[in-house]
Amino acid sequence: MIALATALLAQPVIAGSLPPPLTISGTARVIDGDTISIRKQRIRLAAIDACEVDQTGFRWEVEWLCGKAARSFMRSIADGKHVECRVIDMDQYRRLVAQCFESGRDVGLAIVAAGLAETLFRYLPKQHRMELKAYIAAEQRAKTAGLGIWSAEIEKPSEYRRSRRKAPAFGRS
């Protein structure tokens, strides 16, 4: 991981040009709806945000396990399969941030299209090389069709994570 991170951060950038993209590929293990692992390296899928594994909401007036639904979908398209990821960045948790493909299929775009993740562009570096129009269109189609999170009452995943960090620990004064 350190060698990959060093390579990512040490690439020279000449004004007006982009460095060649770093890639990591191998058999994927799904962690949750927006994170996979390849060769023990955690990779956060770029441009999307899915429910946390323990996150729930309400769908058709019944509790819905949105995080487990997102993880299950990701498992169906990527777990145990050869995945190739184009590294875009490294996040604050030292995970690589990448656009990942299984047999040419963009797995981040697929989960957005299924309505099990929303787009999240604000953390992308300016020179990210991703075609975001497809993500915007997929999210709009999922919303219109009422798929997944768009048919449920859930807290945005980013807000859910924020509220969990602020929660006081039990037994402490």
mmCIF file of all heavy atoms in Angstrom, residues 26-53:
data_model
loop_
_atom_site.group_PDB
_atom_site.id
_atom_site.type_symbol
_atom_site.label_atom_id
_atom_site.label_comp_id
_atom_site.label_asym_id
_atom_site.label_seq_id
_atom_site.Cartn_x
_atom_site.Cartn_y
_atom_site.Cartn_z
ATOM 1 N N GLY A 26 -7.311 -7.069 -9.793
ATOM 2 C CA GLY A 26 -7.232 -8.370 -9.156
ATOM 3 C C GLY A 26 -8.609 -8.821 -8.731
ATOM 4 O O GLY A 26 -9.620 -8.208 -9.080
ATOM 5 N N THR A 27 -8.641 -9.887 -7.959
ATOM 6 C CA THR A 27 -9.905 -10.414 -7.469
ATOM 7 C C THR A 27 -10.434 -9.505 -6.370
ATOM 8 O O THR A 27 -9.739 -9.241 -5.397
ATOM 9 C CB THR A 27 -9.721 -11.846 -6.942
ATOM 10 O OG1 THR A 27 -9.185 -12.654 -8.000
ATOM 11 C CG2 THR A 27 -11.046 -12.435 -6.470
ATOM 12 N N ALA A 28 -11.659 -9.027 -6.550
ATOM 13 C CA ALA A 28 -12.264 -8.088 -5.608
ATOM 14 C C ALA A 28 -12.976 -8.805 -4.477
ATOM 15 O O ALA A 28 -13.558 -9.871 -4.670
ATOM 16 C CB ALA A 28 -13.245 -7.183 -6.333
ATOM 17 N N ARG A 29 -12.901 -8.188 -3.315
ATOM 18 C CA ARG A 29 -13.697 -8.609 -2.164
ATOM 19 C C ARG A 29 -14.525 -7.390 -1.788
ATOM 20 O O ARG A 29 -13.988 -6.306 -1.574
ATOM 21 C CB ARG A 29 -12.790 -9.032 -1.007
ATOM 22 C CG ARG A 29 -13.565 -9.571 0.194
ATOM 23 C CD ARG A 29 -12.645 -10.102 1.270
ATOM 24 N NE ARG A 29 -11.841 -9.070 1.894
ATOM 25 C CZ ARG A 29 -12.239 -8.352 2.957
ATOM 26 N NH1 ARG A 29 -13.421 -8.533 3.485
ATOM 27 N NH2 ARG A 29 -11.436 -7.440 3.467
ATOM 28 N N VAL A 30 -15.825 -7.544 -1.720
ATOM 29 C CA VAL A 30 -16.716 -6.426 -1.412
ATOM 30 C C VAL A 30 -16.747 -6.197 0.092
ATOM 31 O O VAL A 30 -16.976 -7.127 0.867
ATOM 32 C CB VAL A 30 -18.131 -6.672 -1.970
ATOM 33 C CG1 VAL A 30 -19.122 -5.638 -1.464
ATOM 34 C CG2 VAL A 30 -18.097 -6.682 -3.498
ATOM 35 N N ILE A 31 -16.531 -4.950 0.488
ATOM 36 C CA ILE A 31 -16.592 -4.550 1.892
ATOM 37 C C ILE A 31 -17.994 -4.019 2.198
ATOM 38 O O ILE A 31 -18.628 -4.426 3.154
ATOM 39 C CB ILE A 31 -15.548 -3.459 2.209
ATOM 40 C CG1 ILE A 31 -14.138 -3.871 1.783
ATOM 41 C CG2 ILE A 31 -15.621 -3.046 3.684
ATOM 42 C CD1 ILE A 31 -13.596 -5.115 2.433
ATOM 43 N N ASP A 32 -18.456 -3.094 1.366
ATOM 44 C CA ASP A 32 -19.802 -2.543 1.505
ATOM 45 C C ASP A 32 -20.247 -2.026 0.138
ATOM 46 O O ASP A 32 -19.643 -2.375 -0.870
ATOM 47 C CB ASP A 32 -19.869 -1.481 2.615
ATOM 48 C CG ASP A 32 -18.966 -0.279 2.381
ATOM 49 O OD1 ASP A 32 -18.622 0.029 1.225
ATOM 50 O OD2 ASP A 32 -18.620 0.392 3.368
ATOM 51 N N GLY A 33 -21.264 -1.201 0.110
ATOM 52 C CA GLY A 33 -21.826 -0.756 -1.165
ATOM 53 C C GLY A 33 -20.950 0.153 -1.991
ATOM 54 O O GLY A 33 -21.194 0.335 -3.175
ATOM 55 N N ASP A 34 -19.923 0.743 -1.384
ATOM 56 C CA ASP A 34 -19.040 1.618 -2.150
ATOM 57 C C ASP A 34 -17.556 1.397 -1.865
ATOM 58 O O ASP A 34 -16.728 2.233 -2.205
ATOM 59 C CB ASP A 34 -19.417 3.097 -1.972
ATOM 60 C CG ASP A 34 -19.478 3.536 -0.518
ATOM 61 O OD1 ASP A 34 -18.812 2.929 0.328
ATOM 62 O OD2 ASP A 34 -20.213 4.499 -0.233
ATOM 63 N N THR A 35 -17.220 0.260 -1.273
ATOM 64 C CA THR A 35 -15.822 -0.044 -0.976
ATOM 65 C C THR A 35 -15.539 -1.513 -1.292
ATOM 66 O O THR A 35 -16.318 -2.388 -0.929
ATOM 67 C CB THR A 35 -15.499 0.214 0.518
ATOM 68 O OG1 THR A 35 -15.917 1.528 0.870
ATOM 69 C CG2 THR A 35 -14.016 0.055 0.794
ATOM 70 N N ILE A 36 -14.417 -1.729 -1.989
ATOM 71 C CA ILE A 36 -13.957 -3.081 -2.277
ATOM 72 C C ILE A 36 -12.511 -3.206 -1.787
ATOM 73 O O ILE A 36 -11.890 -2.209 -1.402
ATOM 74 C CB ILE A 36 -14.048 -3.441 -3.777
ATOM 75 C CG1 ILE A 36 -13.135 -2.537 -4.620
ATOM 76 C CG2 ILE A 36 -15.496 -3.384 -4.257
ATOM 77 C CD1 ILE A 36 -13.016 -2.952 -6.075
ATOM 78 N N SER A 37 -11.996 -4.404 -1.831
ATOM 79 C CA SER A 37 -10.607 -4.649 -1.492
ATOM 80 C C SER A 37 -10.011 -5.517 -2.597
ATOM 81 O O SER A 37 -10.636 -6.483 -3.034
ATOM 82 C CB SER A 37 -10.524 -5.366 -0.143
ATOM 83 O OG SER A 37 -9.197 -5.698 0.164
ATOM 84 N N ILE A 38 -8.829 -5.130 -3.041
ATOM 85 C CA ILE A 38 -8.079 -5.923 -4.009
ATOM 86 C C ILE A 38 -6.678 -6.086 -3.432
ATOM 87 O O ILE A 38 -6.023 -5.082 -3.112
ATOM 88 C CB ILE A 38 -8.016 -5.251 -5.400
ATOM 89 C CG1 ILE A 38 -9.416 -5.150 -6.019
ATOM 90 C CG2 ILE A 38 -7.071 -6.023 -6.326
ATOM 91 C CD1 ILE A 38 -9.463 -4.402 -7.344
ATOM 92 N N ARG A 39 -6.244 -7.326 -3.268
ATOM 93 C CA ARG A 39 -4.925 -7.619 -2.686
ATOM 94 C C ARG A 39 -4.703 -6.846 -1.382
ATOM 95 O O ARG A 39 -3.689 -6.209 -1.190
ATOM 96 C CB ARG A 39 -3.821 -7.340 -3.697
ATOM 97 C CG ARG A 39 -3.898 -8.239 -4.922
ATOM 98 C CD ARG A 39 -2.660 -8.129 -5.797
ATOM 99 N NE ARG A 39 -2.240 -6.786 -6.084
ATOM 100 C CZ ARG A 39 -2.532 -6.117 -7.200
ATOM 101 N NH1 ARG A 39 -3.271 -6.693 -8.131
ATOM 102 N NH2 ARG A 39 -2.081 -4.907 -7.384
ATOM 103 N N LYS A 40 -5.698 -6.891 -0.518
ATOM 104 C CA LYS A 40 -5.673 -6.269 0.811
ATOM 105 C C LYS A 40 -5.614 -4.742 0.782
ATOM 106 O O LYS A 40 -5.379 -4.113 1.800
ATOM 107 C CB LYS A 40 -4.533 -6.833 1.662
ATOM 108 C CG LYS A 40 -4.674 -8.315 1.904
ATOM 109 C CD LYS A 40 -3.586 -8.827 2.790
ATOM 110 C CE LYS A 40 -3.750 -10.340 2.976
ATOM 111 N NZ LYS A 40 -2.721 -10.910 3.795
ATOM 112 N N GLN A 41 -5.829 -4.128 -0.368
ATOM 113 C CA GLN A 41 -5.872 -2.674 -0.491
ATOM 114 C C GLN A 41 -7.328 -2.236 -0.589
ATOM 115 O O GLN A 41 -8.046 -2.660 -1.500
ATOM 116 C CB GLN A 41 -5.118 -2.212 -1.743
ATOM 117 C CG GLN A 41 -5.276 -0.744 -2.069
ATOM 118 C CD GLN A 41 -4.707 0.160 -0.981
ATOM 119 O OE1 GLN A 41 -3.539 0.064 -0.638
ATOM 120 N NE2 GLN A 41 -5.536 1.028 -0.434
ATOM 121 N N ARG A 42 -7.778 -1.430 0.358
ATOM 122 C CA ARG A 42 -9.159 -0.923 0.314
ATOM 123 C C ARG A 42 -9.276 0.154 -0.746
ATOM 124 O O ARG A 42 -8.415 1.028 -0.861
ATOM 125 C CB ARG A 42 -9.576 -0.376 1.662
ATOM 126 C CG ARG A 42 -9.760 -1.499 2.646
ATOM 127 C CD ARG A 42 -10.878 -1.221 3.567
ATOM 128 N NE ARG A 42 -11.066 -2.420 4.393
ATOM 129 C CZ ARG A 42 -12.086 -2.588 5.170
ATOM 130 N NH1 ARG A 42 -13.006 -1.668 5.254
ATOM 131 N NH2 ARG A 42 -12.216 -3.677 5.879
ATOM 132 N N ILE A 43 -10.379 0.071 -1.487
ATOM 133 C CA ILE A 43 -10.624 1.007 -2.579
ATOM 134 C C ILE A 43 -12.044 1.540 -2.460
ATOM 135 O O ILE A 43 -13.010 0.771 -2.457
ATOM 136 C CB ILE A 43 -10.437 0.313 -3.949
ATOM 137 C CG1 ILE A 43 -9.019 -0.267 -4.046
ATOM 138 C CG2 ILE A 43 -10.744 1.285 -5.086
ATOM 139 C CD1 ILE A 43 -8.838 -1.288 -5.143
ATOM 140 N N ARG A 44 -12.158 2.843 -2.354
ATOM 141 C CA ARG A 44 -13.451 3.528 -2.279
ATOM 142 C C ARG A 44 -13.836 3.885 -3.705
ATOM 143 O O ARG A 44 -13.046 4.469 -4.436
ATOM 144 C CB ARG A 44 -13.292 4.799 -1.416
ATOM 145 C CG ARG A 44 -14.510 5.696 -1.369
ATOM 146 C CD ARG A 44 -15.522 5.118 -0.399
ATOM 147 N NE ARG A 44 -16.412 6.109 0.145
ATOM 148 C CZ ARG A 44 -17.488 6.580 -0.462
ATOM 149 N NH1 ARG A 44 -17.798 6.183 -1.671
ATOM 150 N NH2 ARG A 44 -18.260 7.446 0.142
ATOM 151 N N LEU A 45 -15.047 3.504 -4.104
ATOM 152 C CA LEU A 45 -15.499 3.819 -5.460
ATOM 153 C C LEU A 45 -15.729 5.321 -5.582
ATOM 154 O O LEU A 45 -16.415 5.929 -4.756
ATOM 155 C CB LEU A 45 -16.775 3.059 -5.793
ATOM 156 C CG LEU A 45 -16.650 1.536 -5.802
ATOM 157 C CD1 LEU A 45 -17.986 0.894 -6.097
ATOM 158 C CD2 LEU A 45 -15.597 1.071 -6.792
ATOM 159 N N ALA A 46 -15.138 5.904 -6.593
ATOM 160 C CA ALA A 46 -15.219 7.348 -6.811
ATOM 161 C C ALA A 46 -16.620 7.760 -7.256
ATOM 162 O O ALA A 46 -17.322 7.010 -7.937
ATOM 163 C CB ALA A 46 -14.210 7.768 -7.884
ATOM 164 N N ALA A 47 -17.015 8.949 -6.853
ATOM 165 C CA ALA A 47 -18.219 9.636 -7.327
ATOM 166 C C ALA A 47 -19.542 9.076 -6.817
ATOM 167 O O ALA A 47 -20.599 9.473 -7.289
ATOM 168 C CB ALA A 47 -18.243 9.697 -8.862
ATOM 169 N N ILE A 48 -19.493 8.137 -5.853
ATOM 170 C CA ILE A 48 -20.750 7.582 -5.337
ATOM 171 C C ILE A 48 -20.720 7.508 -3.815
ATOM 172 O O ILE A 48 -19.657 7.540 -3.193
ATOM 173 C CB ILE A 48 -21.063 6.187 -5.907
ATOM 174 C CG1 ILE A 48 -20.126 5.115 -5.334
ATOM 175 C CG2 ILE A 48 -21.021 6.189 -7.432
ATOM 176 C CD1 ILE A 48 -20.622 3.703 -5.552
ATOM 177 N N ASP A 49 -21.907 7.383 -3.242
ATOM 178 C CA ASP A 49 -22.050 7.193 -1.800
ATOM 179 C C ASP A 49 -23.228 6.260 -1.573
ATOM 180 O O ASP A 49 -24.348 6.550 -1.989
ATOM 181 C CB ASP A 49 -22.288 8.541 -1.104
ATOM 182 C CG ASP A 49 -21.953 8.535 0.368
ATOM 183 O OD1 ASP A 49 -21.300 7.583 0.836
ATOM 184 O OD2 ASP A 49 -22.333 9.505 1.058
ATOM 185 N N ALA A 50 -22.958 5.126 -0.932
ATOM 186 C CA ALA A 50 -23.992 4.129 -0.641
ATOM 187 C C ALA A 50 -24.241 4.091 0.863
ATOM 188 O O ALA A 50 -23.398 4.504 1.660
ATOM 189 C CB ALA A 50 -23.555 2.748 -1.131
ATOM 190 N N CYS A 51 -25.388 3.562 1.252
ATOM 191 C CA CYS A 51 -25.703 3.393 2.673
ATOM 192 C C CYS A 51 -24.616 2.569 3.352
ATOM 193 O O CYS A 51 -24.036 1.665 2.748
ATOM 194 C CB CYS A 51 -27.036 2.662 2.844
ATOM 195 S SG CYS A 51 -28.487 3.614 2.374
ATOM 196 N N GLU A 52 -24.366 2.865 4.625
ATOM 197 C CA GLU A 52 -23.446 2.069 5.429
ATOM 198 C C GLU A 52 -24.094 0.702 5.681
ATOM 199 O O GLU A 52 -25.317 0.578 5.695
ATOM 200 C CB GLU A 52 -23.160 2.772 6.752
ATOM 201 C CG GLU A 52 -22.436 4.097 6.586
ATOM 202 C CD GLU A 52 -21.083 3.957 5.900
ATOM 203 O OE1 GLU A 52 -20.268 3.115 6.330
ATOM 204 O OE2 GLU A 52 -20.846 4.691 4.922
ATOM 205 N N VAL A 53 -23.288 -0.325 5.904
ATOM 206 C CA VAL A 53 -23.802 -1.684 6.047
ATOM 207 C C VAL A 53 -24.871 -1.786 7.132
ATOM 208 O O VAL A 53 -25.882 -2.472 6.955
ATOM 209 C CB VAL A 53 -22.660 -2.699 6.314
ATOM 210 C CG1 VAL A 53 -23.216 -4.069 6.640
ATOM 211 C CG2 VAL A 53 -21.747 -2.789 5.108
#
